[in-house]
């Protein structure tokens, strides 16, 4: 939100400048009047939509019914749809208080029970109620606004200790905008239909069903091309006279991405491919996997989903074998959103093909590398310069945001086979959108997808597998307050040796990192001796350390707080340095575990790559998993590129697996906890899961589905029905 006001101000000025240009050219259909009311609502919507995009949502839908407790508290004196809109702004305005409270709670936990301070958010309900029905003269309204602005400023200065640079001015601008918007909505828009009419008269808003066209149909005072906000009036089929049931709004970039993505999916789905034979398929394929191969055999676009161990990669290996049977040459591309996921894709495919046929697979690439996306964020491959492949297979597709997915599909030629693999129950992408789960839910794409269910990794006795299924199925509709739910979860954990729950009110750092002791011991053994080993000895030492490191990983819900990966990594780093008799201030040291956080194409390093820092004859070097022969000097890596990674966030763990995982979180991460997050964390483990949390936080996590407001299905409906 920190730049939303500056951008919206720029756009307002740009519109005025364009209007003057049109006026000078004599191109205006009527006199241009930049309505202050239109500008206020634009600023409000722009701030809310910008915040929503940062939180992963692509669309804001304002409905007729109050959709949560905060909205209901406002709906006493105003329509529910207005309350829904106002509460979106109120959540942004209250964000500093939420951050401060979480920080204080984490501080208290770290100090073993220090009394928690009270940080109540600003009382916006009281403020809005003080305006009554807004039937006030301008002077009285101005005085009230100034009084409440001073109260809000004081509240921020007294309590919100986590304000970022420039955030105070941004919040105060949004505060004033919200109050003015409440006045406008109350006096000018008494229904959603009136709001839609209001938006239709504003140059800053464009209709979704006219997207991309020049909107010079008389509704606007001058021709507007691709206005900054797109809206659509949704009418339920039972509504009379086309009355609005809800209104959906997108930032232009978000609507463009969803609009173009669906266009490309329709284009690729209609592509014609040459079927391949299914006669020589492996007898190990189950019926679901055979159905997936048959789907790809006859169609250009396919989605194969399934949980861990359901054989997605093995199925793809059989597809590759079937397509290349008889010596047929195909141009194949393998890709994944992160470097780590691409590496695992390569390892899994090679393992699946081992002993069946001798063939050389292409090197899997990150999607950014596949498309040739450089520092400017622009892809080399696009509609005008498509990718030169016959088959493109994308693994871990649940990590695809809508903009990256749009860039990828736009670069795929019609007639190329595109296969998306993933687990639709995992966390959605870090970027906005939930592409894989949205596509899986579309009736129009039902014939283009197969879900694999049978798991070979977890048998019926596996506690990890049973917990994953419980989270995925039973907890989907569970209520955290339901005693039966409590019993189901904790009874399962109590019966299983491979799943442990350790309730705690403070982080038991010693117990959490004790599983790294074998790794610590190996790094100590080779601290002074690695440099003196010959090449074979160094390779063996690296293999031992990599193997020990791959047995265990700590997963956190967030970066912040004593349960966050930053604090845990700091504690483990200190322990590791002490063990090796190294200075506490050493940033780079022998044995440090690091993860790459930014693609470095010049070094062959990609976001998600994990490595070990080792003392060599040439100084401290980092060796990366899967590329033990490739060493990178620490002089080439700074803290903007590499971060300590004994503990990582669950988001960063996607595409990886370890024998045992420790999952660490508490109530300070409540906003991040979800069924998808805990499911993703649990399914990173092959053998054991250790959960360090408290009862309420665990139950909250496994019973709270992630709710992402996305518009792919709505965009598809608009394209079909208008």
């Amino acid at each position: 939100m920190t730049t939303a006001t500056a951008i919206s101000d720029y756009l307002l000025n740009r519109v005025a400048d364009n209007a003057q240009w049109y006026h000078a050219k004599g191109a205006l259909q009527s006199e241009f009047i930049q309505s202050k009311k239109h500008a206020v609502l634009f600023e409000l919507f722009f701030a809310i939509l910008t915040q929503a995009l940062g939180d992963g949502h692509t669309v804001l839908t304002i409905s007729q019914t109050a959709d949560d407790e905060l909205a209901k508290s406002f709906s006493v004196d105003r329509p529910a749809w207005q309350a829904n809109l106002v509460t979106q702004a109120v959540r942004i305005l209250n964000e500093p208080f939420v951050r401060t409270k979480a920080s204080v709670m984490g501080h208290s936990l770290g100090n073993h029970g220090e009394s928690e301070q009270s940080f109540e958010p600003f009382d916006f309900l009281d403020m809005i109620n003080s305006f009554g029905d807004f039937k006030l003269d301008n002077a009285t309204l101005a005085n009230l606004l100034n009084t409440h602005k001073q109260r809000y400023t004081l509240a921020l200065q007294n309590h919100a200790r986590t304000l970022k640079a420039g955030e105070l001015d941004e919040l105060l601008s949004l505060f004033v905008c919200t109050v003015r918007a409440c006045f406008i909505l109350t006096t000018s828009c008494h229904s959603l239909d009136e709001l839609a009419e209001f938006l239709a008269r504003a140059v800053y808003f464009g209709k979704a069903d006219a997207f991309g066209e020049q909107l010079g149909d008389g509704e606007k005072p001058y021709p507007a091309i691709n206005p900054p906000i797109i809206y659509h009036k949704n009418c339920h089929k039972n509504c009379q006279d086309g009355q609005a049931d809800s209104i959906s709004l997108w930032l232009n970039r978000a609507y463009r991405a969803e609009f173009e993505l669906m266009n490309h999916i329709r284009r690729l789905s209609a592509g014609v491919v040459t079927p391949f034979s299914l006669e020589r398929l492996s007898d190990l394929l189950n019926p679901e996997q055979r159905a997936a191969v048959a789907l790809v055999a006859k169609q250009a676009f396919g989605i194969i989903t399934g949980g861990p161990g359901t054989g997605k990669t093995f199925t793809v290996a059989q597809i590759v074998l079937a397509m290349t049977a008889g010596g047929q040459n195909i141009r194949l591309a393998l890709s994944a959103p992160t470097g780590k996921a691409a590496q695992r894709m390569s390892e899994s495919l090679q393992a699946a093909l081992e002993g069946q046929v001798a063939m050389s697979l292409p090197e899997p690439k990150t999607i950014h590398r596949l498309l040739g996306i450089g520092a400017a964020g622009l892809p080399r491959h696009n509609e005008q310069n498509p990718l030169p492949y016959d088959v493109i297979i994308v693994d871990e597709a649940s990590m695809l945001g809508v903009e990256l997915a749009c860039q990828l599909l736009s670069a795929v030629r019609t007639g190329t086979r595109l296969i998306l693999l993933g687990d639709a129950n995992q966390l959605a992408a870090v970027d906005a959108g939930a592409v894989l789960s949205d596509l899986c839910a579309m009736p129009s794409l039902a014939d283009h997808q197969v879900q694999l269910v049978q798991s070979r990794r977890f048998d019926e006795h596996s506690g990890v597998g049973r917990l994953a299924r419980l989270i995925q199925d039973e907890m989907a509709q569970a209520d955290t307050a339901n005693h039966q739910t409590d019993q189901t979860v904790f009874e399962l954990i109590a019966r299983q040796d491979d799943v442990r729950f350790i309730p705690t009110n403070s982080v038991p750092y010693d117990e959490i990192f004790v599983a790294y002791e074998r790794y610590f011991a190996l790094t100590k053994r080779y601290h002074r001796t690695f440099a003196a080993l010959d090449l074979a000895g160094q390779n063996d030492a690296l293999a031992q350390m990599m193997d020990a490191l791959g047995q265990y990983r700590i997963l956190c819900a967030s970066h912040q707080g004593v349960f966050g990966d930053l604090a845990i990594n700091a504690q483990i780093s200190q322990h590791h340095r002490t063990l090796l008799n190294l200075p506490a201030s050493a940033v780079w040291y022998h044995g440090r575990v690091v993860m790459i956080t930014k693609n470095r194409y010049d070094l062959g390093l990609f976001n998600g790559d994990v490595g070990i820092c080792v003392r060599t004859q040439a100084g401290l070097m980092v060796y990366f998993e899967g590329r033990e022969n490739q060493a990178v000097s620490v002089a080439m890596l700074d803290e903007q590129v590499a971060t300590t990674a004994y503990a990582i966030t669950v988001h960063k763990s996607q595409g990886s697996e370890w024998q045992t995982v420790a999952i660490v979180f508490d109530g300070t991460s409540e906003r991040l906890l979800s069924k998808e997050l805990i499911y993703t964390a649990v399914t990173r483990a092959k053998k054991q899961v250790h959960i360090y949390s408290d009862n309420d936080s665990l139950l909250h996590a496994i019973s709270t589905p992630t709710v992402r407001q996305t518009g792919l299905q709505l965009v598809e409906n608009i394209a079909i029905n208008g």
Side-chain angles (χ1 to χ4, degrees):
M1 207 281 292
T2 54
T3 59
T5 299
I7 296 174
S8 61
D9 286 345
Y10 166 79
L11 291 172
L12 290 171
N13 292 330
R14 183 69 180 270
V15 167
D17 291 343
N18 285 348
Q20 292 178 5
W21 186 89
Y22 277 111
H23 178 74
K25 295 291 184 180
L28 288 181
Q29 298 173 0
S30 58
E31 182 183 1
F32 173 77
I33 300 175
Q34 194 169 24
S35 165
K36 291 183 178 179
K37 289 184 178 181
H38 291 165
V40 167
L41 277 193
F42 167 71
E43 288 182 284
L44 178 68
F45 280 124
F46 192 86
I48 293 172
L49 288 167
T50 300
Q51 178 73 20
L53 196 67
D55 290 339
H57 311 291
T58 59
V59 64
L60 169 69
T61 297
I62 308 168
S63 62
Q64 291 278 23
T65 305
D67 50 17
D68 60 23
E69 292 304 316
L70 183 58
K72 290 175 183 175
S73 68
F74 279 99
S75 62
V76 176
D77 299 315
R78 64 180 56 251
W81 68 266
Q82 289 188 12
N84 289 336
L85 176 57
V86 172
T87 54
Q88 300 296 323
V90 168
R91 285 192 178 86
I92 302 175
L93 294 168
N94 270 337
E95 174 62 25
F97 302 101
V98 175
R99 292 201 303 263
T100 303
K101 184 174 181 179
S103 175
V104 170
M105 288 178 67
H107 179 73
S108 298
L109 284 169
N111 286 277
H112 305 287
E114 178 183 323
S115 61
E116 179 185 329
Q117 300 181 44
S118 174
F119 286 90
E120 293 299 324
F122 185 79
D123 193 345
F124 288 94
L125 179 61
D126 174 68
M127 179 197 74
I128 290 178
N129 286 340
S130 73
F131 287 86
D133 61 0
F134 288 90
K135 292 179 180 177
L136 306 168
D137 58 68
N138 290 335
T140 305
L141 182 64
N143 288 334
L144 272 173
L145 174 56
N146 186 56
T147 298
H148 287 292
K149 181 180 178 182
Q150 291 176 355
R151 285 180 54 215
Y152 180 60
T153 304
L154 184 62
L156 286 172
Q157 293 171 342
N158 287 345
H159 297 306
R161 300 176 179 176
T162 57
L163 283 179
K164 303 168 187 174
E167 191 174 10
L168 177 61
D169 291 339
E170 289 277 341
L171 289 167
L172 292 178
S173 295
L174 179 60
F175 180 90
V176 173
C177 180
T178 302
V179 175
R180 289 175 174 166
C182 286
F183 178 80
I184 293 169
L185 293 172
T186 302
T187 56
S188 303
C189 301
H190 301 96
S191 68
L192 280 175
D193 288 287
E194 290 187 2
L195 175 63
E197 293 173 4
F198 191 88
L199 299 179
R201 295 191 296 271
V203 297
Y204 318 109
F205 300 86
K207 291 183 177 180
D209 52 8
F211 180 75
E213 299 177 4
Q214 184 168 324
L215 306 179
D217 54 4
E219 291 187 299
K220 311 284 182 177
Y222 79 99
I225 300 176
N226 292 341
I229 294 178
I230 306 298
Y231 75 94
H232 183 70
K233 186 172 82 168
N234 308 308
C235 301
H236 192 275
K237 62 182 180 181
N238 295 326
C239 288
Q240 299 295 321
D241 302 323
Q243 292 181 343
D245 179 63
S246 61
I247 291 180
S248 297
L249 300 104
W250 296 258
L251 288 178
N252 186 292
R253 60 177 282 196
Y255 189 83
R256 177 183 293 277
E258 294 191 323
F259 178 86
E260 293 183 355
L261 176 58
M262 290 313 304
N263 278 347
H264 289 303
I265 287 176
R266 286 192 293 270
R267 173 179 63 82
L268 295 173
S269 299
V272 178
V273 293
T274 303
F276 55 79
S277 174
L278 305 179
E279 293 180 0
R280 299 182 182 179
L281 295 182
S282 169
D283 294 336
L284 297 176
L285 287 172
N286 62 36
E288 298 163 357
Q289 294 170 319
R290 287 181 175 275
V293 179
L295 168 71
V296 176
K298 62 183 180 180
Q299 296 184 165
F301 179 66
I303 303 172
I304 302 174
T305 61
T310 53
K312 296 186 294 294
T313 306
F314 181 74
T315 303
V316 167
Q318 300 308 307
I319 291 172
V320 172
L321 288 174
M323 285 190 296
T324 56
Q328 182 178 355
N329 183 39
I330 62 167
R331 292 171 296 177
L332 172 65
L334 305 174
S335 188
T338 68
K340 180 64 177 177
Q343 176 193 329
R344 281 203 65 253
M345 182 186 192
S346 175
E347 295 168 353
S348 299
L349 272 174
Q350 290 289 3
L353 292 170
E354 188 175 353
Q356 297 190 58
V357 67
M359 66 179 299
S360 177
L361 289 173
E363 175 195 2
K365 300 177 181 179
T366 64
I367 294 174
H368 283 76
R369 187 179 175 195
L370 180 73
L371 295 176
I373 297 176
L378 299 176
R380 184 171 68 252
H381 291 285
N382 49 39
E383 279 187 273
Q384 287 70 44
N385 181 31
L387 292 162
Y389 301 106
D390 304 309
V391 182
I392 300 173
I393 302 172
V394 180
D395 199 7
E396 297 293 347
S398 64
M399 301 170 71
L400 280 174
V402 66
E403 292 192 359
L404 183 58
C406 182
Q407 287 180 317
L408 172 63
L409 269 66
S410 69
V412 179
R413 296 180 304 177
T414 304
T416 294
R417 278 188 171 92
L418 175 65
I419 307 168
L420 302 182
L421 305 176
D423 186 347
N425 293 304
Q426 282 193 34
L427 278 168
V430 174
D431 297 326
V435 173
L436 184 64
S437 59
D438 282 351
L439 297 181
C440 289
M442 287 187 182
S444 61
L445 294 177
D447 294 337
H448 291 269
Q449 58 182 287
V450 172
Q451 182 181 13
L452 308 181
V453 178
Q454 183 178 339
S455 176
R456 290 191 173 101
R457 184 197 298 179
F458 302 130
D459 60 30
E460 60 182 10
H461 303 295
S462 167
V464 177
R466 294 182 65 187
L467 180 58
R469 287 191 294 272
L470 179 63
I471 296 167
Q472 180 181 344
D473 300 328
E474 294 181 36
M475 303 308 295
Q477 286 108 30
D479 186 338
T480 55
N482 187 302
H483 181 63
Q484 183 63 44
T485 295
D486 298 6
Q487 287 184 323
T488 302
V489 176
F490 292 108
E491 284 179 1
L492 184 152
I493 293 174
R495 292 194 305 267
Q496 302 295 328
D497 294 333
D498 54 347
V499 179
R500 295 177 57 212
F501 174 71
I502 304 94
T504 180
N505 291 320
S506 61
V507 179
Y509 286 114
D510 294 345
E511 182 175 349
I512 290 175
F513 62 64
V514 70
Y516 277 132
E517 289 301 336
R518 176 171 169 251
Y519 173 71
F520 293 153
L522 286 168
T523 59
K524 186 174 184 179
R525 178 193 303 175
Y526 294 114
H527 184 206
R528 302 297 179 186
T529 62
F530 184 88
L533 296 173
D534 59 19
L535 181 60
Q538 289 185 348
N539 289 340
D540 180 63
L542 285 170
Q544 291 181 53
M545 289 188 286
M546 290 291 185
D547 177 71
L549 183 63
Q551 299 298 309
Y552 180 72
R553 198 57 46 92
I554 301 167
L555 306 182
C556 305
S558 70
H559 295 300
Q560 307 303 322
V562 291
F563 280 81
D565 66 331
L566 296 178
I568 293 177
N569 278 320
Q571 291 286 333
I572 298 178
S573 295
Q574 184 57 48
H575 174 81
H576 201 173
R577 285 190 293 256
T578 300
L579 188 69
L580 299 177
N581 295 318
L582 295 173
S585 60
V587 176
W588 285 100
Y589 56 89
H590 175 83
R592 182 191 181 194
V593 181
V594 296
M595 173 179 279
I596 298 300
T597 57
K598 184 182 298 184
N599 293 333
R600 282 291 303 271
Y601 297 102
D602 56 326
L603 299 177
L605 299 177
F606 304 99
N607 187 7
D609 286 351
V610 174
I612 299 173
C613 181
V614 179
R615 181 176 296 280
T616 71
Q617 287 182 338
L620 291 174
M621 309 288 287
V622 181
Y623 292 85
F624 289 90
E625 290 178 339
R627 286 167 289 172
E628 285 78 359
N629 294 326
Q630 177 187 0
V632 178
S633 170
V634 299
M636 303 294 292
L637 304 171
D638 58 30
E639 296 305 301
Q640 302 301 314
V641 174
T643 185
T644 305
Y646 303 93
I648 61 176
T649 62
V650 178
H651 276 93
K652 286 292 187 182
S653 75
Q654 288 180 271
S656 298
E657 293 175 347
W658 299 275
Q659 296 298 318
T660 300
V661 299
I663 308 169
V664 187
F665 60 91
D666 75 330
T668 60
S669 301
E670 181 178 344
R671 292 184 63 194
L672 298 173
L673 298 180
S674 68
K675 179 170 68 79
E676 289 78 7
L677 182 136
I678 195 72
Y679 171 83
T680 301
V682 167
T683 54
R684 298 311 89 202
K686 294 182 179 180
K687 298 295 183 183
Q688 289 190 326
V689 169
H690 301 164
I691 301 173
Y692 295 87
S693 183
D694 58 81
N695 291 21
D696 289 344
S697 296
L698 174 60
L699 291 170
H700 175 76
I702 60 181
S703 59
T704 304
T706 298
V707 178
R708 277 211 171 174
Q709 302 296 333
T710 58
L712 279 182
Q713 181 64 71
L714 180 55
V715 169
E716 176 75 344
N717 293 340
I718 293 171
I720 296 172
N721 303 317

